[in-house]
Amino acid sequence: MKKVRHNRFLYYLIPITVSVIITTIGYFFMNGIPLFGVPKIEDVSYVEISNTRLDTNARKLTEIEDIKKAINLTNFLSYKLGAPEKKEALIKFVFHLKDGSSFVISSNEKTVYSNGKAYSLKANKGTTFIKVTEGIFFFDDLVEKEKAKQVF
């Protein structure tokens, strides 16, 4: 009588696959789901950034380094599943693409809007995104606002 030999490959494949799935779900649960659809640097011709909290005009970024910074800032915007709070966005990025279309990302402290769809931000990622964006692109306006507060 011969022993039936099972495929040893399946004994390794199934636990590895289950481990990868559990790890991926845990990663997204801990860190949030990254914002998909953000354009690549080579597809963007320029970026317009506006800040409604500081009441400033939109800034037009045409330098490659500034476009890279704007795209990298969107990495802060990871979201969680659930119904978002729909409030007015404070920071708005409009990526104008070389093909003539545009991609809009806007955010407040708790919600991110990506091309019109709203998502709830994970933890305090919205606050971090707003503060870093203001520090990089609107620093001079922040300084002026602080000077105005000190005068009064």
Side-chain angles (χ1 to χ4, degrees), residues 28-90:
F28 287 145
F29 180 74
M30 297 289 289
N31 298 315
I33 302 167
L35 195 61
F36 294 109
V38 178
K40 296 179 182 174
I41 294 169
E42 58 268 5
D43 297 336
V44 177
S45 62
Y46 67 96
V47 180
E48 286 183 44
I49 300 177
S50 59
N51 186 339
T52 58
R53 183 166 50 180
L54 295 176
D55 293 328
T56 59
N57 295 332
R59 308 261 167 117
K60 185 176 180 180
L61 309 174
T62 56
E63 298 291 325
I64 294 294
E65 288 300 317
D66 291 335
I67 293 172
K68 282 182 187 178
K69 287 177 190 175
I71 290 174
N72 288 335
L73 279 173
T74 61
N75 292 331
F76 283 107
L77 299 172
S78 56
Y79 62 93
K80 61 184 178 182
L81 299 177
E85 294 179 21
K86 297 197 177 186
K87 293 183 180 177
E88 182 183 352
L90 299 175

Side-chain angles (χ1 to χ4, degrees), residues 34-40 95 97 103 105 114-115:
L35 195 61
F36 294 109
V38 178
K40 296 179 182 174
F95 296 96
L97 306 177
F103 185 83
I105 295 175
S114 177
N115 267 353

Side-chain angles (χ1 to χ4, degrees), residues 4 12 16 32 39 55 65 72 83 87 103 106 116 123 129 132 135 141 143:
V4 176
Y12 294 110
I16 290 172
D55 293 328
E65 288 300 317
N72 288 335
K87 293 183 180 177
F103 185 83
S106 56
F129 170 74
V132 172
D141 294 328
V143 170

